[in-house]
Amino acid sequence: PSFNIDRIGALDVSKGYQVFTAGMDTSLISISGKPLVPSEVDITLRSSRFNLLPMVYQTPVSVEGAFASIANQIEIVQNDQGEAWIPALSINTLGELVPGKGYQAFLDADQDISFSFPDVVTGKRAAGRDARVATNSRYDQQIIETGLPWLLVIQPDASWDEWYETGTELSLWSQSGVVVGANQLARDEPTVITAWQGDTGTGLPGFETNEPIKARLWHPTLELETTVPLIGVSGESLRFGEGPYGIATIPQNALSTGAEEIPPASFGLESAFPNPFQSSLSLRISVPTTETVSVEVYNLLGQRVAQLSNGVLEAGVHDLMWRASEKSAGVYIIKVVSPLGSIVKLVTKVD
C-alpha cells in the first residue's frame, strides 16, 4: 500500500494470501458475504512447491478428511504457527483446518492438479501418531515466530540409550548465532522442531535458506549443553530449508566424536544442593570465560571457615563440594568472586 502497488486486484476465492502487518499489535480482518460451497471452488495446486490455500469451510474440519482424495500426493500441509500434517510419516500436529487461519500445502506430483474440497468432512481429528511438539523449551523467550516455518523431524535412534533422559532438549541455531527452534526430544517417537526463517527486508530474525544447521543438545542432569551433528536421510549433514520439511537423527557416538561443550552465557552460582544440608554441600558454578574464581564459606560472624577455590577456572560449568561434617549447625554464607562479579548465597547446615 505505501507504494500504491496492487498486483492482486480482486481477491480470488480459489487462492490463499499472505499478509505482513506493520507494528506489534495483532490485526483482525473481518470478511462478510455468502458462504462458499467447498466442492464448487476449483483450486489449482502447483507441483513441487508450496501452495497457499483458501479456507472454504465455516467450521473446523479434519485436515486428513479434507485432503483424503489426494492424501497420497500431499507432502505436507502446515499453518504459519509450525503445526503440520505429514501423511508419509503419520505425523499430525495440525489436526484441524480452522476458519480464520491460513494454510499451505506442498504437492508431491509430476504435474499440477485441480482439486476441490469435499462438502462434508467426517470426523474432526483423524487418528494418527502425533509427534511431540514444543514443550517448555529453555529458549521459548528467545525464539521469534516469524510466520515462515520449516519443520525438522528428528527420528529416534537406538544409540540414544547412552545419553537420553527425560527433558533432553535439541535446539537449532543459524550461522549468525540466533536460536531458531527448540524442543524436548521424545525417546520412542519422532520429535517435530519448528525452525523459523528470517527475512532481511522486514528485519525478522531467523535462518537463511540453505545455510548449515547448527544443533545443540541440553543434558538436564549434567546441566550441560554440547554441539551435535544432525544427519539427514541421505547420510549427509542437513541444511535449513532443504525440501518442504527435513528428516534427521543424531548419529551414533555423536557425543563422543566431536561434541563441543557450549560455555554458559553468564557467570553464576547455579545451585547449592541440598539446602538445608547435613554433612556435605554440592555447588555448581558457571563461568562463561576463563577467569580467576574464588569460592569461600563464612559463618555469620564474618569468619572464613572454608576455601573451595582460589584459582583459574576454564569456561564452563564446575562442580565443587564442601565437606562440612565437622562444622556446627547454623547458617553459612557462600561467597563467589571473579572479575565478572560477586555472588553471595545463604545455606543452612542441620544436625
Side-chain angles (χ1 to χ4, degrees):
S2 60
F3 288 95
N4 293 319
I5 294 175
D6 182 0
R7 297 179 62 186
I8 294 177
L11 296 180
D12 186 336
V13 296
S14 69
K15 295 181 179 180
Y17 298 88
Q18 281 183 312
V19 178
F20 187 94
T21 57
M24 301 298 292
D25 295 332
T26 299
S27 299
L28 178 64
I29 300 175
S30 297
I31 299 176
S32 61
K34 182 180 179 181
L36 296 169
V37 178
S39 62
E40 296 180 359
V41 180
D42 294 324
I43 301 170
T44 299
L45 296 179
R46 306 293 183 185
S47 64
S48 302
R49 55 160 287 180
F50 275 109
N51 295 267
L52 293 173
L53 301 169
M55 182 58 192
V56 297
Y57 295 103
Q58 301 299 305
T59 58
V61 298
S62 162
V63 61
E64 296 186 23
F67 288 95
S69 64
I70 59 169
N72 63 338
Q73 296 175 284
I74 293 292
E75 282 270 14
I76 184 174
V77 177
Q78 65 182 20
N79 61 17
D80 62 359
Q81 296 173 293
E83 299 168 327
W85 172 48
I86 307 176
L89 300 180
S90 298
I91 288 175
N92 188 354
T93 61
L94 182 58
E96 299 174 338
L97 302 179
V98 179
K101 295 185 180 294
Y103 301 91
Q104 55 183 357
F106 192 98
L107 187 65
D108 181 18
D110 295 331
Q111 58 187 5
D112 302 347
I113 65 171
S114 180
F115 166 74
S116 295
F117 286 106
D119 292 332
V120 178
V121 178
T122 58
K124 285 191 174 182
R125 185 161 189 152
R129 182 180 62 216
D130 288 350
R132 171 172 284 184
V133 293
T135 53
N136 300 322
S137 165
R138 298 171 61 244
Y139 294 106
D140 277 347
Q141 301 302 314
Q142 299 181 41
I143 296 172
I144 305 298
E145 297 184 5
T146 64
L148 302 172
W150 181 74
L151 273 62
L152 179 61
V153 180
I154 304 297
Q155 299 281 23
D157 186 87
S159 65
W160 288 15
D161 290 338
E162 300 177 4
W163 50 262
Y164 178 84
E165 60 178 311
T166 301
T168 300
E169 181 175 325
L170 186 69
S171 57
L172 308 178
W173 299 72
S174 70
Q175 293 297 300
S176 61
V178 175
V179 57
V180 298
N183 200 354
Q184 292 182 14
L185 294 175
R187 177 63 189 90
D188 299 314
E189 61 185 14
T191 300
V192 175
I193 301 178
T194 301
W196 297 98
Q197 182 178 352
D199 182 80
T200 54
T202 55
L204 291 175
F207 70 83
E208 294 183 9
T209 300
N210 206 40
E211 72 171 325
I213 298 175
K214 291 183 177 181
R216 299 181 183 180
L217 199 65
W218 169 255
H219 312 266
T221 298
L222 298 175
E223 295 188 357
L224 177 70
E225 192 169 44
T226 56
T227 60
V228 290
L230 293 179
I231 302 301
V233 292
S234 64
E236 299 180 354
S237 298
L238 207 59
R239 292 175 176 269
F240 284 116
E242 285 187 328
Y245 61 90
I247 304 176
T249 191
I250 301 170
Q252 189 174 6
N253 301 325
L255 271 64
S256 59
T257 56
E260 177 185 352
E261 181 179 343
I262 305 299
S266 60
F267 171 66
L269 176 57
E270 294 188 1
S271 64
F273 182 83
N275 188 20
F277 69 100
Q278 287 186 311
S279 60
S280 59
L281 179 71
S282 176
L283 305 175
R284 174 159 289 182
I285 299 169
S286 60
V287 186
T289 56
T290 300
E291 301 288 352
T292 299
V293 179
S294 169
V295 182
E296 299 174 325
V297 184
Y298 293 82
N299 61 22
L300 292 182
L301 297 177
Q303 300 168 327
R304 189 176 70 183
V305 298
Q307 185 164 44
L308 307 181
S309 174
N310 188 26
V312 176
L313 296 182
E314 295 184 355
V317 177
H318 301 268
D319 292 315
L320 302 175
M321 181 72 71
W322 180 34
R323 304 187 187 281
S325 57
E326 297 181 357
K327 302 300 180 183
S328 59
V331 177
Y332 291 86
I333 302 168
I334 307 295
K335 187 175 182 180
V336 184
V337 179
S338 85
L340 301 174
S342 60
I343 301 167
V344 173
K345 183 175 182 64
L346 299 180
V347 296
T348 303
K349 183 180 184 299
V350 295
D351 291 330

